[in-house]
Amino acid sequence: MSSISIIGAGNMATAIGTQALKGGNTVEVIGRDADKAAALARTLGNGATAGTWGAVPTGDIVILAVLFAGAVPIVREYGDALADKIVVDITNPFNADATGLAIPQDTSVAQMIAEAAPARAHVVKAFNTLFSHVLAAGNPVDVFIAGDNAQAKASVSAFITSLGLRPRDAGDLSMAHWLEGAGLLEMGLARNGLGFNLSLAVNLGTTI
């Protein structure tokens, strides 16, 4: 199974950490607030540990479970500590009222993270189209991913599969822009009649 470090201690960190441990993975929780990170590790149990902010993460896969505005600064701060790591960006760059994207139209948070990350790190976009409570429910939903490195995507796909979820490869990291747009689409659907228990999925059934 995979070794996972989660930077963040909020709802998505909790949901991913819980499902990761159920899938037999090891989990390290890291946060600027060491007490909050330690509290989440204790809540997760099952061998979850609390890491030290700024130190080299123990996980081969490092999940950025933070607000999008903090993602690039955190990657810059960590610098070479992320070399040879797979960095998973789960963020959505929504504007203040979640009616648009708060970044330029020709990029994505994931691409901005890749520019800030050390050369030997590999960035993969994943999990951004899942609400935390939908992920926590443990149903076999689809997880869309994008990234430039095939081996990194294979590792993230194996991790996703260990959670009982279905990895769906959307292509290279430029597709992260459209995955972030899909997250915005979900917000619109949720607020205009469908509610927040939805997730986007691929239908592989035969069509006529």
Side-chain angles (χ1 to χ4, degrees):
M1 292 295 131
S2 304
S3 59
I4 307 299
S5 291
I6 303 173
I7 298 179
N11 291 336
M12 281 298 287
T14 302
I16 292 174
T18 299
Q19 299 303 326
L21 290 164
K22 288 181 180 178
N25 305 283
T26 64
V27 173
E28 174 189 49
V29 181
I30 306 169
R32 287 188 188 276
D33 186 331
D35 290 339
K36 189 174 182 180
L40 177 54
R42 288 193 300 270
T43 298
L44 293 175
N46 296 312
T49 62
T52 301
W53 183 265
V56 176
T58 61
D60 296 323
I61 297 175
V62 179
I63 298 174
L64 294 174
V66 297
L67 296 177
F68 89 89
V72 170
I74 287 171
V75 169
R76 286 184 178 140
E77 181 177 347
Y78 265 77
D80 286 341
L82 296 177
D84 300 315
K85 302 293 185 180
I86 298 169
V87 179
V88 178
D89 167 37
I90 74 169
T91 67
N92 278 308
F94 297 156
N95 61 16
D97 59 359
T99 59
L101 299 180
I103 59 172
Q105 290 298 311
D106 61 349
T107 190
S108 65
V109 179
Q111 289 167 288
M112 295 164 67
I113 288 169
E115 292 171 359
R120 298 203 313 275
H122 300 295
V123 177
V124 175
K125 187 78 179 186
F127 292 104
N128 75 294
T129 59
L130 291 174
F131 295 113
S132 61
H133 63 279
V134 172
L135 177 58
N139 296 317
V141 294
D142 286 347
V143 181
F144 299 101
I145 68 173
D148 289 336
N149 184 273
Q151 185 174 350
K153 285 199 291 185
S155 295
V156 173
S157 293
F159 169 62
I160 290 168
T161 300
S162 80
L163 309 186
L165 309 177
R166 296 182 297 251
R168 305 297 194 192
D169 190 345
D172 64 27
L173 200 61
S174 68
M175 290 300 293
H177 171 80
W178 304 106
L179 293 184
E180 291 168 6
L184 186 65
L185 170 65
E186 279 190 311
M187 288 296 294
L189 293 170
R191 293 188 301 193
N192 288 279
L194 289 185
F196 287 86
N197 289 319
L198 63 88
S199 65
L200 301 181
V202 174
N203 183 351
L204 297 178
T206 302
T207 58
I208 298 176

